[in-house]
Amino acid sequence: QKLGLDYEGCDEVDGEDFNVEADPEGKAPFKALLDVGLRRTTTGARLFGALKGCCDGGLDIPHNDRRFPGSECVAGDYTTDPETHKKYIFGGHVQEYMEALQEDDDEKYQKQFAQYIALGLGPDDLEGVYTEAHAAIRKDPFLKRDPLDLGLFKKRDEPKPTEFPAKQWQQQKLSKNQRAGRVRQKLQNVLK
């Protein structure tokens, strides 16, 4: 919306590979290239989750789906499993880990998922949370943050300042009278 593009992207989160198709009469979709930098490009890496989210959001990023979660290589041919990918998008792997940890070591579960427990979220509630988050992003993708929000669920004591004093990188030049006064002051300090 900020760039005046009218590409909606994928409306339904189903784990299928989605590529934006250009409208021959309108503007071309915003094209971006994924630069992984020093990150490992292993199958199922979070990097590819971000790629999937960007593509579903309407960006044109050239890619193939062989590194998405659930992809398998059989005799040099890659097959994808959209259901596995959907499970990862909605936190199914976290849900499985929560359930396993709850059965094996309840104390560790209480410690590791303390904030989830404080919010009243259990393993079965995660998919609903992600569904609500997707709906909220679709409703208002440019939601303004509260001025007291600091990030990572922390709050500021007072709002972040909007105006800052001008920075002075170079020392102000002294006038002739100021320089003469400094010399007199130094001479007085030496003669004391």
Side-chain angles (χ1 to χ4, degrees):
Q1 290 174 343
K2 280 186 175 181
L3 300 174
L5 304 175
D6 54 351
Y7 287 91
E8 286 296 315
C10 182
D11 293 330
E12 185 179 324
V13 182
D14 55 3
E16 292 282 341
D17 188 25
F18 177 79
N19 291 308
V20 177
E21 295 179 11
D23 182 16
E25 296 175 6
K27 289 184 177 180
F30 188 83
K31 186 172 188 171
L33 299 175
L34 178 67
D35 180 11
V36 296
L38 297 174
R39 302 287 249 171
R40 304 267 174 164
T41 55
T42 56
T43 301
R46 288 184 296 179
L47 177 84
F48 297 109
L51 170 71
K52 172 79 169 128
C54 291
C55 290
D56 284 354
L59 293 178
D60 180 20
I61 303 175
H63 68 283
N64 56 27
D65 57 354
R66 72 180 198 195
R67 288 293 184 191
F68 288 154
S71 300
E72 293 180 358
C73 179
V74 179
D77 186 34
Y78 285 91
T79 58
T80 59
D81 184 12
E83 287 301 315
T84 304
H85 199 176
K86 182 179 178 181
K87 182 184 86 169
Y88 273 77
I89 290 170
F90 287 106
H93 58 299
V94 178
Q95 177 183 353
E96 289 174 2
Y97 178 65
M98 286 176 80
E99 290 169 348
L101 198 60
Q102 203 170 16
E103 290 174 9
D104 296 344
D105 190 359
D106 193 48
E107 184 180 320
K108 190 173 179 182
Y109 170 78
Q110 297 288 335
K111 183 179 179 184
Q112 188 159 354
F113 293 101
Q115 292 207 359
Y116 284 70
I117 295 167
L119 293 171
L121 296 175
D124 298 329
D125 302 326
L126 288 182
E127 187 170 344
V129 169
Y130 283 107
T131 305
E132 290 173 14
H134 286 127
I137 292 169
R138 283 273 174 207
K139 181 179 175 188
D140 187 11
F142 302 108
L143 184 66
K144 292 287 182 196
R145 211 159 82 169
D146 187 329
L148 295 177
D149 280 348
L150 184 60
L152 296 175
F153 307 104
K154 296 179 184 174
K155 293 286 186 180
R156 298 178 194 275
D157 295 331
E158 55 189 46
K160 191 175 182 180
T162 56
E163 293 185 15
F164 301 96
K167 292 186 178 180
Q168 185 67 38
W169 297 106
Q170 296 174 342
Q171 192 173 10
Q172 290 282 347
K173 287 191 174 185
L174 300 176
S175 68
K176 185 175 181 182
N177 290 337
Q178 289 173 327
R179 287 196 307 271
R182 276 187 73 213
V183 170
R184 263 188 254 111
Q185 190 177 20
K186 286 182 181 181
L187 285 173
Q188 286 175 355
N189 287 340
V190 171
L191 295 178
K192 283 185 182 180

